[in-house]
Amino acid sequence: MEEEFCLKAVVSTQSTGHRGKRVVCLKQLPSGLLLVTGPYKINGVPLRRVDQAYVIATSTKVELPALPDSLTDSLFKRKAKPTKNEKEMFVENTTEEPKIS
């Protein structure tokens, strides 16, 4: 989508659990995906990324305040799960000794 066309336009989603809902396209991310929101309080669509192929643009425009620069692809990146070292898995806990009663 063209940058001017996407900004603050209302689009209809055609994918995932929010199929057929009208959402506001906030901006185009560097990855090429569109950043859209419902807003959540109105129609239950959270802030999410959608591929351009899965939206249909409407002619409706919405006035929005300036967006923060923190809305990037890195916001949606999953956190890495901590992995256990194999040595740590089999080390016995020596701080507590079992008490025999």
Side-chain angles (χ1 to χ4, degrees):
M1 248 186 211
E2 295 178 17
E3 186 69 28
E4 308 90 31
F5 182 72
C6 171
L7 289 177
K8 305 172 185 175
V10 176
V11 296
S12 177
T13 60
Q14 302 300 314
S15 65
T16 68
H18 303 290
R19 181 176 292 141
K21 291 188 179 179
R22 290 194 175 116
V23 296
V24 178
C25 179
L26 300 176
K27 71 184 215 179
Q28 187 171 10
L29 298 171
S31 65
L33 299 173
L34 301 177
L35 184 66
V36 299
T37 185
Y40 187 76
K41 287 185 178 182
I42 295 174
N43 65 0
V45 179
L47 188 68
R48 61 184 308 148
R49 297 180 297 174
V50 178
D51 192 358
Q52 297 174 10
Y54 297 108
V55 298
I56 297 174
T58 64
S59 60
T60 309
K61 299 278 185 178
V62 180
E63 290 198 25
L64 297 173
L67 296 173
D69 292 332
S70 62
L71 296 176
T72 61
D73 286 317
S74 62
L75 178 69
F76 296 95
K77 188 174 182 181
R78 292 186 182 199
K79 309 289 188 267
K81 291 184 179 179
T83 58
K84 291 185 178 180
N85 192 355
E86 188 173 321
K87 293 178 183 177
E88 294 174 2
M89 291 174 57
F90 298 107
V91 173
E92 292 183 23
N93 190 358
T94 58
T95 58
E96 287 186 30
E97 293 185 20
K99 296 183 180 182
I100 300 174
S101 56

